[in-house]
Structure formats: structure tokens, C-alpha cells
Amino acid sequence: MNMASPTSELTQNSRRSSMDPIPNDERVFGLPSYIAMWVSSMVVIQIFIVGQSFLPPSGALNIMQAIWVTIISAFILWVMFVLNSAPGIKYGIPFIVQARASFGYKGARIASLIRVIPAVFWYGIGSWIGASAMVFITETIWGWGNIWLFFILFQIAQTAIAYFGIKSIKWFDSILSVVVLGFLIYILYQIIQLGGLRLTENWTSAGSWGMPFFVAITASVGVLITASINNGDLGRYLENKPKNNYIGHFFGIVPMFILMLLIGILSAAATGIWDPIQALVSVIPSPLVAVAMMIFIVVAQFTTNLTINIKPPALVLVEMFNMKWGMAVIVVGFLSIATFPWLLLTSSAFNQFIAFYSAFLGPLLGILLADYYLIRKQKINVEDYYNQQVGYNWLGIGVLLISGIVGIIFLPISWMVSLPLSVVLYWGGYQLVPYYKKESQARVAKN
């Protein structure tokens, strides 16, 4: 049976059939366009904000320790993306279908909600940051700005681009990738030039290699652990060649992630300003360049939201309710407004918010990896993933809950504890629990 559907390509009229596997000859992305898409999508202002929190007074690290946090976090994220994108790239299936093996046909919807709820929050936060940048632009040029008007216009514009599906997202993100990269390099240069003495002071301070160091890694990875979980939604559109997975994610994600964290770290050291918009503007030498910078931030929020924050929850709505993609995108836009991003972004509990949701995202990723690599040995029967006979895999759901609760107990380093615990518990369940042990043995005999 050929599971591929002529409607698998995502358009404004796509429904549940768009969850069907995408054959390799119908993939939208080659390696260059996939890298370009991720380059533009990685301008996540939230990464910048996390970087700002590493140094005093918010954090307890010096610059050397913060740089090591950046390098380690980038490597961890690369490994996460490569490992969990493999099923989507190889078999052409989206995240919610991949999750059916671990959680059951209906249980996968529960798991997907754990992934997409943070995305809706991030969508709202990104739009609010973009609206703040618009206020700076209009106040500089015309002496007038209204953040609420710009916030709503921002939502409308992003919805309009995402409405038309995967090709619209691909071309918008890919075309802007060069502009995005150029601006980021310029920002970094300005910060280093103007930072001077304050950068030196933060370099020589004692800092900490203890718990604050690991908390910083937890927060850094936590910003993008969501994207690594459901990257099959994008990876399934990438040509299925072995090198595409590790090369595409290395060059698309690692350099940009390092650059964004470094900009946050160094801007905090150089300016002592904690508002991301004001911190960036403060290192720009002229009002004209500052306006260009704000335009860049606006564009950056578009590219990030389209790839990381709009697509995942919209796909879940399509799968759960057989809703048209275009309508799902509109619904997600309204939901992101209801998250009150103007309150969350200014809250002192911003990093705790990241740690709390990544407490459950860590085990979600761990279970997906354990199922694909340890239980199924990277060999799956795709048709089984579209079989509704198993509504819930209670082992996966139970491990997710237990590991998530443990992650909350160790909240400052949530996913560092909950992810490996979930791998051990899920794998152990298939070795020791009679029902799952029998299922595993039957699969081995079949193969």
C-alpha cells in the first residue's frame, strides 16, 4: 500500500491527509534552501534574552563560562535535531505521526499538546517584541507609535504569510537569510567595539562552574528543545540523503545559535541594559542604522514564528480536528494573543517559564528517541503509524508524566534530569513489563 497522498504538500486547503508520508521525489527542500530556512529562523530574540541572563546582576557567570555554555548548548541542540529529525527525513512523516508509536494514536495528541502550547506562547512573545521594534521605528521617523496596533498588525501579517503553506514559508525565510546573517555580524562587531572596559571586567570575574553553569545550559537548550521535538514537520520536506540531516542542521542551527547567544551575553556586559530592543539600539552609532536594525528585528520575528511557532500548533489542529490549514493558522494567531505576552516577557520568572515547560519536553524527546533507536532500531512499518487500533500507549504516557514530575522537582536543570530518566524508564518498560516485552519480542521476530 502506498501511503503517499497527492495532498501531502501543505497548502491553505490541506486537511488531515497532509499528515500522510511525503515521498522523496516530492520534497520541497534541497540542502541549500533548508540551511537558509534555518539560518533565518534562528534569529530568536528569546535566545538573546537568555544570553543576557548569564552575567551579573541576573546571572553568576563570567564571559568565559558563558561562552562555554554557548558552545556546549549548541552541540547538544545539534545532536537533538539530528537524532529526532531522522524519522521525518527518512520516512516523510510529521511529528504527531511519529509520536503515535510511543503514545498511541490518540495519546500522540496529548503529547503534541505538550509541544505546541509553548509554541503558542513563544509566538505571542515574538510578535510583542516585533511590535516593540515597530514602535521604535515609527517614533524615530514620525514621533508616534502604538504598540497595540502594531501587535495586531504583526499577527495579521504573519498569519497571511503562513496561510499559504510550506512553500510560502520556505521562500520567505530563505530569501531573508542572507540579510539576517549580515545584520547579526554587524551587531556583534558594534558590541565588541563599544563594549570596551566592561567586557574586560566580566571576563576576569570569578563566576561559577557550579549549578549556575548547568542552569544556564538548561535555559539555553530549553529555548529550542521544542523545535527539536517536532522538527520532523520540516525535515519531512527535506530530500532524504544521509548527509542532509547532520550537515543541514549543523550549518543551519549551530553558527546562528552561537551568534545569538553571544550577542545577548556581550550586549549585557557592554551595555548593562536588559530590555532587548534598547540594548541593541544602544550599540548602534546612528539613528538611521538603528531604524534599519529595528526593521531587521521585525523581519526576524516573522521568520522565526513562521517556522518554529506557527507551524507546529497549526498542524496539531489540522490532525486533531481535520481543520483546513489556513483556518488552523488563524486560530493559532488568536490563541497567541490570549497568552498575554506583554506580561510574560517582562516577568522575572522568564527563565523559570522555560525550565518548567522543558521539564516535560525533555522526557517527550527522550521517549521519542528511545522508541525509534532502542526499541525499533530505526526500522518502522509506516502503515502501522496510521493504524488506529492502539489508542493509547500507556507506558509512554506514564513515563512522560513520571519523568516530567521529576523534572519539575529539579526545575533549574529540568530537562537534564527528565530526559535521560525517560529514556531509561521507557526502554526498561519494554524489557520488563510483560505486555510490552511480548510486543517487542514479536517485532524482533517479524523483522
PDB file of all heavy atoms in Angstrom, residues 50-66 198-199 201-208 212 264-274:
ATOM      1  N   VAL A  50      17.993  35.055  26.936  1.00  0.00           N
ATOM      2  CA  VAL A  50      18.627  34.056  27.801  1.00  0.00           C
ATOM      3  C   VAL A  50      20.111  34.364  27.946  1.00  0.00           C
ATOM      4  O   VAL A  50      20.678  34.294  29.042  1.00  0.00           O
ATOM      5  CB  VAL A  50      18.413  32.636  27.232  1.00  0.00           C
ATOM      6  CG1 VAL A  50      19.292  31.629  27.968  1.00  0.00           C
ATOM      7  CG2 VAL A  50      16.952  32.232  27.370  1.00  0.00           C
ATOM      8  N   GLY A  51      20.785  34.730  26.852  1.00  0.00           N
ATOM      9  CA  GLY A  51      22.194  35.094  26.915  1.00  0.00           C
ATOM     10  C   GLY A  51      22.442  36.273  27.845  1.00  0.00           C
ATOM     11  O   GLY A  51      23.437  36.302  28.581  1.00  0.00           O
ATOM     12  N   GLN A  52      21.534  37.233  27.834  1.00  0.00           N
ATOM     13  CA  GLN A  52      21.666  38.387  28.723  1.00  0.00           C
ATOM     14  C   GLN A  52      21.640  37.984  30.200  1.00  0.00           C
ATOM     15  O   GLN A  52      22.205  38.672  31.045  1.00  0.00           O
ATOM     16  CB  GLN A  52      20.527  39.377  28.469  1.00  0.00           C
ATOM     17  CG  GLN A  52      20.674  40.226  27.222  1.00  0.00           C
ATOM     18  CD  GLN A  52      19.542  41.227  27.127  1.00  0.00           C
ATOM     19  OE1 GLN A  52      18.370  40.868  27.206  1.00  0.00           O
ATOM     20  NE2 GLN A  52      19.875  42.492  26.972  1.00  0.00           N
ATOM     21  N   SER A  53      20.963  36.880  30.496  1.00  0.00           N
ATOM     22  CA  SER A  53      20.762  36.494  31.894  1.00  0.00           C
ATOM     23  C   SER A  53      21.952  35.760  32.498  1.00  0.00           C
ATOM     24  O   SER A  53      21.933  35.420  33.680  1.00  0.00           O
ATOM     25  CB  SER A  53      19.515  35.604  32.012  1.00  0.00           C
ATOM     26  OG  SER A  53      19.749  34.318  31.451  1.00  0.00           O
ATOM     27  N   PHE A  54      22.993  35.503  31.712  1.00  0.00           N
ATOM     28  CA  PHE A  54      24.125  34.728  32.228  1.00  0.00           C
ATOM     29  C   PHE A  54      25.018  35.525  33.176  1.00  0.00           C
ATOM     30  O   PHE A  54      25.602  34.975  34.103  1.00  0.00           O
ATOM     31  CB  PHE A  54      24.994  34.220  31.069  1.00  0.00           C
ATOM     32  CG  PHE A  54      24.331  33.178  30.213  1.00  0.00           C
ATOM     33  CD1 PHE A  54      24.888  32.812  29.003  1.00  0.00           C
ATOM     34  CD2 PHE A  54      23.166  32.554  30.614  1.00  0.00           C
ATOM     35  CE1 PHE A  54      24.302  31.850  28.207  1.00  0.00           C
ATOM     36  CE2 PHE A  54      22.555  31.590  29.828  1.00  0.00           C
ATOM     37  CZ  PHE A  54      23.134  31.240  28.615  1.00  0.00           C
ATOM     38  N   LEU A  55      25.169  36.829  32.899  1.00  0.00           N
ATOM     39  CA  LEU A  55      26.127  37.645  33.633  1.00  0.00           C
ATOM     40  C   LEU A  55      25.452  38.420  34.768  1.00  0.00           C
ATOM     41  O   LEU A  55      24.240  38.627  34.733  1.00  0.00           O
ATOM     42  CB  LEU A  55      26.806  38.620  32.677  1.00  0.00           C
ATOM     43  CG  LEU A  55      27.489  38.011  31.450  1.00  0.00           C
ATOM     44  CD1 LEU A  55      28.125  39.105  30.613  1.00  0.00           C
ATOM     45  CD2 LEU A  55      28.535  36.976  31.857  1.00  0.00           C
ATOM     46  N   PRO A  56      26.207  38.858  35.775  1.00  0.00           N
ATOM     47  CA  PRO A  56      25.633  39.679  36.843  1.00  0.00           C
ATOM     48  C   PRO A  56      25.010  40.953  36.271  1.00  0.00           C
ATOM     49  O   PRO A  56      25.498  41.464  35.253  1.00  0.00           O
ATOM     50  CB  PRO A  56      26.849  40.003  37.725  1.00  0.00           C
ATOM     51  CG  PRO A  56      27.827  38.904  37.435  1.00  0.00           C
ATOM     52  CD  PRO A  56      27.630  38.577  35.985  1.00  0.00           C
ATOM     53  N   PRO A  57      23.921  41.478  36.860  1.00  0.00           N
ATOM     54  CA  PRO A  57      23.331  41.027  38.131  1.00  0.00           C
ATOM     55  C   PRO A  57      22.330  39.888  37.997  1.00  0.00           C
ATOM     56  O   PRO A  57      21.945  39.309  39.003  1.00  0.00           O
ATOM     57  CB  PRO A  57      22.621  42.291  38.621  1.00  0.00           C
ATOM     58  CG  PRO A  57      22.203  42.981  37.372  1.00  0.00           C
ATOM     59  CD  PRO A  57      23.300  42.742  36.382  1.00  0.00           C
ATOM     60  N   SER A  58      21.905  39.546  36.784  1.00  0.00           N
ATOM     61  CA  SER A  58      20.906  38.476  36.632  1.00  0.00           C
ATOM     62  C   SER A  58      21.502  37.098  36.864  1.00  0.00           C
ATOM     63  O   SER A  58      20.862  36.218  37.433  1.00  0.00           O
ATOM     64  CB  SER A  58      20.283  38.539  35.239  1.00  0.00           C
ATOM     65  OG  SER A  58      19.540  39.714  35.078  1.00  0.00           O
ATOM     66  N   GLY A  59      22.743  36.885  36.394  1.00  0.00           N
ATOM     67  CA  GLY A  59      23.362  35.578  36.498  1.00  0.00           C
ATOM     68  C   GLY A  59      24.651  35.615  37.289  1.00  0.00           C
ATOM     69  O   GLY A  59      25.021  36.643  37.861  1.00  0.00           O
ATOM     70  N   ALA A  60      25.351  34.464  37.325  1.00  0.00           N
ATOM     71  CA  ALA A  60      26.559  34.361  38.158  1.00  0.00           C
ATOM     72  C   ALA A  60      27.768  33.893  37.364  1.00  0.00           C
ATOM     73  O   ALA A  60      28.748  33.432  37.945  1.00  0.00           O
ATOM     74  CB  ALA A  60      26.294  33.394  39.315  1.00  0.00           C
ATOM     75  N   LEU A  61      27.735  34.010  36.030  1.00  0.00           N
ATOM     76  CA  LEU A  61      28.839  33.532  35.208  1.00  0.00           C
ATOM     77  C   LEU A  61      29.725  34.693  34.765  1.00  0.00           C
ATOM     78  O   LEU A  61      29.282  35.843  34.721  1.00  0.00           O
ATOM     79  CB  LEU A  61      28.304  32.812  33.964  1.00  0.00           C
ATOM     80  CG  LEU A  61      27.304  31.672  34.171  1.00  0.00           C
ATOM     81  CD1 LEU A  61      26.934  31.053  32.823  1.00  0.00           C
ATOM     82  CD2 LEU A  61      27.854  30.607  35.112  1.00  0.00           C
ATOM     83  N   ASN A  62      30.971  34.383  34.419  1.00  0.00           N
ATOM     84  CA  ASN A  62      31.775  35.357  33.710  1.00  0.00           C
ATOM     85  C   ASN A  62      31.689  35.060  32.213  1.00  0.00           C
ATOM     86  O   ASN A  62      31.025  34.098  31.805  1.00  0.00           O
ATOM     87  CB  ASN A  62      33.231  35.362  34.208  1.00  0.00           C
ATOM     88  CG  ASN A  62      33.925  34.016  34.013  1.00  0.00           C
ATOM     89  OD1 ASN A  62      33.649  33.280  33.068  1.00  0.00           O
ATOM     90  ND2 ASN A  62      34.850  33.696  34.915  1.00  0.00           N
ATOM     91  N   ILE A  63      32.341  35.862  31.395  1.00  0.00           N
ATOM     92  CA  ILE A  63      32.181  35.701  29.949  1.00  0.00           C
ATOM     93  C   ILE A  63      32.742  34.366  29.469  1.00  0.00           C
ATOM     94  O   ILE A  63      32.142  33.702  28.605  1.00  0.00           O
ATOM     95  CB  ILE A  63      32.845  36.876  29.196  1.00  0.00           C
ATOM     96  CG1 ILE A  63      32.017  38.149  29.409  1.00  0.00           C
ATOM     97  CG2 ILE A  63      32.961  36.580  27.706  1.00  0.00           C
ATOM     98  CD1 ILE A  63      32.540  39.360  28.682  1.00  0.00           C
ATOM     99  N   MET A  64      33.886  33.929  29.998  1.00  0.00           N
ATOM    100  CA  MET A  64      34.452  32.648  29.588  1.00  0.00           C
ATOM    101  C   MET A  64      33.483  31.503  29.846  1.00  0.00           C
ATOM    102  O   MET A  64      33.263  30.636  28.991  1.00  0.00           O
ATOM    103  CB  MET A  64      35.775  32.400  30.330  1.00  0.00           C
ATOM    104  CG  MET A  64      36.375  31.013  30.081  1.00  0.00           C
ATOM    105  SD  MET A  64      36.775  30.725  28.337  1.00  0.00           S
ATOM    106  CE  MET A  64      38.285  31.700  28.201  1.00  0.00           C
ATOM    107  N   GLN A  65      32.889  31.483  31.034  1.00  0.00           N
ATOM    108  CA  GLN A  65      31.917  30.431  31.351  1.00  0.00           C
ATOM    109  C   GLN A  65      30.686  30.529  30.458  1.00  0.00           C
ATOM    110  O   GLN A  65      30.145  29.511  30.010  1.00  0.00           O
ATOM    111  CB  GLN A  65      31.526  30.535  32.830  1.00  0.00           C
ATOM    112  CG  GLN A  65      32.658  30.174  33.771  1.00  0.00           C
ATOM    113  CD  GLN A  65      32.561  30.861  35.112  1.00  0.00           C
ATOM    114  OE1 GLN A  65      31.697  31.698  35.345  1.00  0.00           O
ATOM    115  NE2 GLN A  65      33.489  30.540  36.009  1.00  0.00           N
ATOM    116  N   ALA A  66      30.251  31.755  30.183  1.00  0.00           N
ATOM    117  CA  ALA A  66      29.095  31.946  29.306  1.00  0.00           C
ATOM    118  C   ALA A  66      29.388  31.446  27.895  1.00  0.00           C
ATOM    119  O   ALA A  66      28.505  30.869  27.237  1.00  0.00           O
ATOM    120  CB  ALA A  66      28.708  33.422  29.276  1.00  0.00           C
ATOM    121  N   ARG A 198      34.045  47.264  30.115  1.00  0.00           N
ATOM    122  CA  ARG A 198      33.078  46.413  30.806  1.00  0.00           C
ATOM    123  C   ARG A 198      33.208  44.967  30.360  1.00  0.00           C
ATOM    124  O   ARG A 198      32.995  44.046  31.137  1.00  0.00           O
ATOM    125  CB  ARG A 198      31.658  46.926  30.580  1.00  0.00           C
ATOM    126  CG  ARG A 198      31.411  48.299  31.173  1.00  0.00           C
ATOM    127  CD  ARG A 198      29.937  48.621  31.224  1.00  0.00           C
ATOM    128  NE  ARG A 198      29.239  47.737  32.146  1.00  0.00           N
ATOM    129  CZ  ARG A 198      27.952  47.865  32.439  1.00  0.00           C
ATOM    130  NH1 ARG A 198      27.236  48.833  31.904  1.00  0.00           N
ATOM    131  NH2 ARG A 198      27.366  47.043  33.277  1.00  0.00           N
ATOM    132  N   LEU A 199      33.535  44.738  29.096  1.00  0.00           N
ATOM    133  CA  LEU A 199      33.743  43.375  28.624  1.00  0.00           C
ATOM    134  C   LEU A 199      34.936  42.747  29.345  1.00  0.00           C
ATOM    135  O   LEU A 199      34.901  41.586  29.749  1.00  0.00           O
ATOM    136  CB  LEU A 199      33.977  43.369  27.116  1.00  0.00           C
ATOM    137  CG  LEU A 199      32.773  43.684  26.226  1.00  0.00           C
ATOM    138  CD1 LEU A 199      33.202  43.703  24.763  1.00  0.00           C
ATOM    139  CD2 LEU A 199      31.659  42.673  26.433  1.00  0.00           C
ATOM    140  N   GLU A 201      36.122  43.486  32.329  1.00  0.00           N
ATOM    141  CA  GLU A 201      35.772  43.226  33.727  1.00  0.00           C
ATOM    142  C   GLU A 201      34.990  41.924  33.871  1.00  0.00           C
ATOM    143  O   GLU A 201      35.228  41.136  34.788  1.00  0.00           O
ATOM    144  CB  GLU A 201      34.953  44.396  34.278  1.00  0.00           C
ATOM    145  CG  GLU A 201      35.754  45.686  34.443  1.00  0.00           C
ATOM    146  CD  GLU A 201      34.864  46.860  34.795  1.00  0.00           C
ATOM    147  OE1 GLU A 201      33.622  46.692  34.726  1.00  0.00           O
ATOM    148  OE2 GLU A 201      35.381  47.934  35.121  1.00  0.00           O
ATOM    149  N   ASN A 202      34.054  41.689  32.968  1.00  0.00           N
ATOM    150  CA  ASN A 202      33.258  40.464  33.043  1.00  0.00           C
ATOM    151  C   ASN A 202      34.079  39.236  32.669  1.00  0.00           C
ATOM    152  O   ASN A 202      33.748  38.127  33.062  1.00  0.00           O
ATOM    153  CB  ASN A 202      32.039  40.579  32.118  1.00  0.00           C
ATOM    154  CG  ASN A 202      30.921  41.389  32.740  1.00  0.00           C
ATOM    155  OD1 ASN A 202      30.147  40.882  33.534  1.00  0.00           O
ATOM    156  ND2 ASN A 202      30.857  42.664  32.387  1.00  0.00           N
ATOM    157  N   TRP A 203      35.130  39.417  31.902  1.00  0.00           N
ATOM    158  CA  TRP A 203      35.976  38.297  31.526  1.00  0.00           C
ATOM    159  C   TRP A 203      36.795  37.802  32.715  1.00  0.00           C
ATOM    160  O   TRP A 203      37.017  36.609  32.890  1.00  0.00           O
ATOM    161  CB  TRP A 203      36.905  38.734  30.391  1.00  0.00           C
ATOM    162  CG  TRP A 203      37.646  37.593  29.764  1.00  0.00           C
ATOM    163  CD1 TRP A 203      38.751  36.953  30.243  1.00  0.00           C
ATOM    164  CD2 TRP A 203      37.316  36.937  28.531  1.00  0.00           C
ATOM    165  NE1 TRP A 203      39.143  35.949  29.389  1.00  0.00           N
ATOM    166  CE2 TRP A 203      38.285  35.916  28.330  1.00  0.00           C
ATOM    167  CE3 TRP A 203      36.321  37.115  27.585  1.00  0.00           C
ATOM    168  CZ2 TRP A 203      38.260  35.086  27.218  1.00  0.00           C
ATOM    169  CZ3 TRP A 203      36.305  36.284  26.472  1.00  0.00           C
ATOM    170  CH2 TRP A 203      37.256  35.289  26.301  1.00  0.00           C
ATOM    171  N   THR A 204      37.253  38.738  33.552  1.00  0.00           N
ATOM    172  CA  THR A 204      38.173  38.384  34.639  1.00  0.00           C
ATOM    173  C   THR A 204      37.473  38.092  35.963  1.00  0.00           C
ATOM    174  O   THR A 204      38.137  37.697  36.925  1.00  0.00           O
ATOM    175  CB  THR A 204      39.186  39.531  34.854  1.00  0.00           C
ATOM    176  OG1 THR A 204      38.462  40.747  35.110  1.00  0.00           O
ATOM    177  CG2 THR A 204      40.056  39.717  33.614  1.00  0.00           C
ATOM    178  N   SER A 205      36.159  38.269  36.051  1.00  0.00           N
ATOM    179  CA  SER A 205      35.461  37.978  37.307  1.00  0.00           C
ATOM    180  C   SER A 205      35.441  36.472  37.569  1.00  0.00           C
ATOM    181  O   SER A 205      35.588  35.662  36.647  1.00  0.00           O
ATOM    182  CB  SER A 205      34.023  38.515  37.259  1.00  0.00           C
ATOM    183  OG  SER A 205      33.269  37.830  36.279  1.00  0.00           O
ATOM    184  N   ALA A 206      35.246  36.076  38.817  1.00  0.00           N
ATOM    185  CA  ALA A 206      35.352  34.662  39.210  1.00  0.00           C
ATOM    186  C   ALA A 206      34.276  33.798  38.573  1.00  0.00           C
ATOM    187  O   ALA A 206      34.549  32.712  38.058  1.00  0.00           O
ATOM    188  CB  ALA A 206      35.286  34.555  40.732  1.00  0.00           C
ATOM    189  N   GLY A 207      33.028  34.262  38.620  1.00  0.00           N
ATOM    190  CA  GLY A 207      31.941  33.475  38.045  1.00  0.00           C
ATOM    191  C   GLY A 207      31.701  32.193  38.808  1.00  0.00           C
ATOM    192  O   GLY A 207      32.061  32.058  39.979  1.00  0.00           O
ATOM    193  N   SER A 208      31.128  31.198  38.119  1.00  0.00           N
ATOM    194  CA  SER A 208      30.816  29.925  38.773  1.00  0.00           C
ATOM    195  C   SER A 208      30.776  28.804  37.741  1.00  0.00           C
ATOM    196  O   SER A 208      30.145  28.934  36.695  1.00  0.00           O
ATOM    197  CB  SER A 208      29.469  30.001  39.494  1.00  0.00           C
ATOM    198  OG  SER A 208      29.084  28.722  39.967  1.00  0.00           O
ATOM    199  N   PRO A 212      24.988  27.321  38.708  1.00  0.00           N
ATOM    200  CA  PRO A 212      24.601  28.356  37.738  1.00  0.00           C
ATOM    201  C   PRO A 212      25.038  28.028  36.310  1.00  0.00           C
ATOM    202  O   PRO A 212      24.357  28.386  35.352  1.00  0.00           O
ATOM    203  CB  PRO A 212      25.316  29.610  38.264  1.00  0.00           C
ATOM    204  CG  PRO A 212      25.457  29.377  39.728  1.00  0.00           C
ATOM    205  CD  PRO A 212      25.716  27.908  39.858  1.00  0.00           C
ATOM    206  N   GLY A 264      23.622  38.278  23.000  1.00  0.00           N
ATOM    207  CA  GLY A 264      22.962  38.532  24.280  1.00  0.00           C
ATOM    208  C   GLY A 264      23.949  38.680  25.420  1.00  0.00           C
ATOM    209  O   GLY A 264      23.849  39.604  26.239  1.00  0.00           O
ATOM    210  N   ILE A 265      24.936  37.774  25.475  1.00  0.00           N
ATOM    211  CA  ILE A 265      25.948  37.816  26.540  1.00  0.00           C
ATOM    212  C   ILE A 265      26.741  39.121  26.486  1.00  0.00           C
ATOM    213  O   ILE A 265      26.883  39.832  27.486  1.00  0.00           O
ATOM    214  CB  ILE A 265      26.897  36.614  26.408  1.00  0.00           C
ATOM    215  CG1 ILE A 265      26.153  35.301  26.669  1.00  0.00           C
ATOM    216  CG2 ILE A 265      28.082  36.749  27.377  1.00  0.00           C
ATOM    217  CD1 ILE A 265      26.907  34.068  26.203  1.00  0.00           C
ATOM    218  N   LEU A 266      27.269  39.437  25.314  1.00  0.00           N
ATOM    219  CA  LEU A 266      28.149  40.591  25.183  1.00  0.00           C
ATOM    220  C   LEU A 266      27.393  41.905  25.297  1.00  0.00           C
ATOM    221  O   LEU A 266      27.940  42.899  25.791  1.00  0.00           O
ATOM    222  CB  LEU A 266      28.909  40.523  23.857  1.00  0.00           C
ATOM    223  CG  LEU A 266      29.858  39.322  23.712  1.00  0.00           C
ATOM    224  CD1 LEU A 266      30.537  39.349  22.347  1.00  0.00           C
ATOM    225  CD2 LEU A 266      30.896  39.298  24.831  1.00  0.00           C
ATOM    226  N   SER A 267      26.143  41.935  24.846  1.00  0.00           N
ATOM    227  CA  SER A 267      25.372  43.180  24.983  1.00  0.00           C
ATOM    228  C   SER A 267      25.089  43.477  26.448  1.00  0.00           C
ATOM    229  O   SER A 267      25.115  44.640  26.874  1.00  0.00           O
ATOM    230  CB  SER A 267      24.060  43.093  24.197  1.00  0.00           C
ATOM    231  OG  SER A 267      23.153  42.212  24.812  1.00  0.00           O
ATOM    232  N   ALA A 268      24.830  42.417  27.236  1.00  0.00           N
ATOM    233  CA  ALA A 268      24.620  42.615  28.666  1.00  0.00           C
ATOM    234  C   ALA A 268      25.890  43.140  29.324  1.00  0.00           C
ATOM    235  O   ALA A 268      25.855  44.049  30.163  1.00  0.00           O
ATOM    236  CB  ALA A 268      24.186  41.303  29.326  1.00  0.00           C
ATOM    237  N   ALA A 269      27.036  42.575  28.923  1.00  0.00           N
ATOM    238  CA  ALA A 269      28.305  43.007  29.503  1.00  0.00           C
ATOM    239  C   ALA A 269      28.664  44.427  29.078  1.00  0.00           C
ATOM    240  O   ALA A 269      29.193  45.210  29.871  1.00  0.00           O
ATOM    241  CB  ALA A 269      29.408  42.039  29.084  1.00  0.00           C
ATOM    242  N   ALA A 270      28.370  44.759  27.832  1.00  0.00           N
ATOM    243  CA  ALA A 270      28.804  46.046  27.291  1.00  0.00           C
ATOM    244  C   ALA A 270      27.875  47.191  27.665  1.00  0.00           C
ATOM    245  O   ALA A 270      28.321  48.326  27.838  1.00  0.00           O
ATOM    246  CB  ALA A 270      28.913  45.954  25.771  1.00  0.00           C
ATOM    247  N   THR A 271      26.572  46.907  27.780  1.00  0.00           N
ATOM    248  CA  THR A 271      25.602  47.994  27.978  1.00  0.00           C
ATOM    249  C   THR A 271      24.957  47.997  29.347  1.00  0.00           C
ATOM    250  O   THR A 271      24.548  49.058  29.832  1.00  0.00           O
ATOM    251  CB  THR A 271      24.483  47.900  26.921  1.00  0.00           C
ATOM    252  OG1 THR A 271      23.683  46.729  27.167  1.00  0.00           O
ATOM    253  CG2 THR A 271      25.058  47.826  25.508  1.00  0.00           C
ATOM    254  N   GLY A 272      24.817  46.819  29.968  1.00  0.00           N
ATOM    255  CA  GLY A 272      24.101  46.749  31.242  1.00  0.00           C
ATOM    256  C   GLY A 272      22.615  46.998  31.094  1.00  0.00           C
ATOM    257  O   GLY A 272      21.908  47.224  32.076  1.00  0.00           O
ATOM    258  N   ILE A 273      22.099  46.928  29.859  1.00  0.00           N
ATOM    259  CA  ILE A 273      20.678  47.158  29.577  1.00  0.00           C
ATOM    260  C   ILE A 273      20.008  45.815  29.361  1.00  0.00           C
ATOM    261  O   ILE A 273      20.500  44.979  28.597  1.00  0.00           O
ATOM    262  CB  ILE A 273      20.499  48.060  28.334  1.00  0.00           C
ATOM    263  CG1 ILE A 273      21.169  49.414  28.562  1.00  0.00           C
ATOM    264  CG2 ILE A 273      19.017  48.241  28.008  1.00  0.00           C
ATOM    265  CD1 ILE A 273      21.201  50.289  27.321  1.00  0.00           C
ATOM    266  N   TRP A 274      18.842  45.614  29.992  1.00  0.00           N
ATOM    267  CA  TRP A 274      18.217  44.294  29.957  1.00  0.00           C
ATOM    268  C   TRP A 274      16.998  44.224  29.040  1.00  0.00           C
ATOM    269  O   TRP A 274      16.491  43.135  28.786  1.00  0.00           O
ATOM    270  CB  TRP A 274      17.845  43.881  31.392  1.00  0.00           C
ATOM    271  CG  TRP A 274      19.042  43.988  32.266  1.00  0.00           C
ATOM    272  CD1 TRP A 274      19.308  44.960  33.179  1.00  0.00           C
ATOM    273  CD2 TRP A 274      20.195  43.152  32.250  1.00  0.00           C
ATOM    274  NE1 TRP A 274      20.541  44.779  33.747  1.00  0.00           N
ATOM    275  CE2 TRP A 274      21.117  43.671  33.196  1.00  0.00           C
ATOM    276  CE3 TRP A 274      20.547  42.013  31.535  1.00  0.00           C
ATOM    277  CZ2 TRP A 274      22.346  43.080  33.443  1.00  0.00           C
ATOM    278  CZ3 TRP A 274      21.782  41.437  31.775  1.00  0.00           C
ATOM    279  CH2 TRP A 274      22.658  41.966  32.720  1.00  0.00           C
TER     280      TRP A 274
END
